[in-house]
Amino acid sequence: MTVCRDERERILVHRRSEQLSRFPGLYEVVVGGAVDVGESYEQAAARELAEELDIRVLPRLLFTFINRSGLSPHWLGVHEAVVSDAVVPDPDEVAWHGWLTEPELRSALLGWRFTPDSHEAFSRYLAFRTAQS
C-alpha cells in the first residue's frame, strides 16, 4: 500500500470503481493490492502504482503491520511515493481521484466512506511521520 504525495505535500485520494468486488465505491488513501509470490513489498507497490495509476516509481517502504480491519487479518507494507499530480487512473479500478491537504483529508475521513485499510494505514502513517520529525 502506498501513500502518494505531490510536490505540494497534498495526498492522493481515490474512489474505487463500482465494478470492483471488494469495497466498491469506497474511498482510499492508499494505492495497492496483494503481493504476488516472489515479490517484495516494494516490487508489489511499484506494480500496483503502474497498474492503477500509470505511475512508474519505486516507492519507499516505511513500515509493516498486521491490519486487523477489513476482510481478515493480513500484513500490510506501507510505502510513500512523491509523484506528479498528473496521474492517469485505470477507469476499471478508479472512479474518481483528487489531491487533498492533510487537514482536508482528516475531515474527509470523518465524513466519506473509506475502506477499513485506509483508516488504519493512514493513522499509522501519520504516527510514523510524526515520530520521524
Side-chain angles (χ1 to χ4, degrees), residues 66-122:
I66 296 179
N67 183 15
R68 299 192 189 284
S69 62
L71 300 175
S72 64
H74 56 281
W75 280 97
L76 284 181
V78 177
H79 301 76
E80 180 179 58
V82 176
V83 301
S84 161
D85 60 4
V87 299
V88 182
D90 177 350
D92 291 334
E93 300 259 355
V94 177
W96 171 89
H97 75 284
W99 294 91
L100 301 180
T101 64
E102 213 168 280
E104 289 170 336
L105 179 51
R106 286 178 189 268
S107 177
L109 282 163
L110 297 174
W112 301 358
R113 293 186 57 229
F114 279 83
T115 62
D117 289 356
S118 287
H119 286 281
E120 182 74 16
F122 192 65

Side-chain angles (χ1 to χ4, degrees), residues 45-79:
R47 177 180 47 78
E48 290 288 343
L49 286 170
E51 289 174 4
E52 294 182 21
L53 301 174
D54 199 26
I55 295 172
R56 310 280 183 232
V57 64
L58 185 60
R60 182 172 64 106
L61 178 63
L62 303 178
F63 58 90
T64 61
F65 71 99
I66 296 179
N67 183 15
R68 299 192 189 284
S69 62
L71 300 175
S72 64
H74 56 281
W75 280 97
L76 284 181
V78 177
H79 301 76

